[in-house]
Each structure stands twice: as C-alpha cells, then as structure tokens.
Amino acid sequence: QVQLVESGGGLVQPGGSLRLSCAASETIFNFNAMAWYRQAPGKERDLVARFARGGITDYADSVKGRFTISRDIAKNTVFLQMESLKPEDTAVYYCNAESPYGFRTRHYWGQGTQVTVSS
C-alpha cells in the first residue's frame, strides 16, 4: 500500500505564498502521475495540478500562472508552489498518486492539508 504524507499547509495573507510537499513511501518514478486536488466546504474535490509521465503538466484555469507542480525523484517528493494566493484558494489540499494496476489505474490519496488565505 502506497502512503502519501503531506506538509506545508497553514494560514497565509492574500498575495502571499506557500509550498506544499507530498512525500511518498516508494519511488515516485514508478507512478504514472502525481497530482494535487483541493476541496472547499460544500464543494466538490477538483483537480488543481497534475504531473504526468513524460513531464507533461496540467493546471486548473483558476490557478494557471500562479501555481507550479514539481518533483524531486531522489526524495520521492512532489511539490506545489503557490504564489499570489487569493481567499478563493482556501481549501483542503490533497496529494494524489496514480499507479498502474494491470490495464487499470489505482489511485492513492494523502490525508489532506488545510490552506487558509485570509487577512
């Protein structure tokens, strides 16, 4: 079973920045992709950023140009650098890993970390 451990969440003022980290229990090189999702109270869990095999990245339109997903293979860690944060970015952020399972894909999730953007 793959375990994902998140850190870096907290309280930040509008316009500020945060870096989220997600450490995996095994090499992330074997995953098809890693991603960050977020869920605000009363809303659905939505994709924020995804880093797929081959170095292909995708971002939600709401964060494009402000957030950057990256990885450190040697440390089995994926990052989400968040800049110019807005109150609407307030949510629980979840780390996700996609692992091949035959012809299917197995999804693993972190525990979630709270990000609050407020004055």
Side-chain angles (χ1 to χ4, degrees):
Q1 181 79 357
V2 174
Q3 292 183 313
L4 305 174
V5 181
E6 302 170 345
S7 61
L11 175 65
V12 65
Q13 294 184 345
S17 62
L18 281 175
R19 180 198 268 191
L20 305 183
S21 299
C22 174
S25 59
E26 62 182 69
T27 175
I28 62 175
F29 186 79
N30 292 333
F31 299 144
N32 288 336
M34 297 196 72
W36 290 94
Y37 290 73
R38 69 184 181 186
Q39 185 172 26
K43 297 185 178 180
E44 297 181 347
R45 184 179 299 186
D46 295 324
L47 176 68
V48 176
R50 184 172 182 266
F51 194 117
R53 190 179 297 275
I56 301 175
T57 58
D58 294 292
Y59 298 91
D61 289 339
S62 59
V63 306
K64 190 171 298 183
R66 299 188 298 119
F67 291 11
T68 303
I69 187 170
S70 61
R71 66 179 184 179
D72 187 334
I73 296 178
K75 295 184 177 180
N76 298 340
T77 302
V78 63
F79 305 95
L80 183 67
Q81 181 68 41
M82 304 184 293
E83 306 284 351
S84 302
L85 284 163
K86 305 174 181 179
E88 63 194 71
D89 295 318
T90 297
V92 177
Y93 284 70
Y94 297 90
C95 182
N96 168 264
E98 301 175 15
S99 181
Y101 183 64
F103 61 91
R104 303 177 179 177
T105 298
R106 189 188 299 274
H107 289 263
Y108 300 95
W109 295 93
Q111 78 286 352
T113 183
Q114 177 70 47
V115 172
T116 302
V117 184
S118 176
S119 298

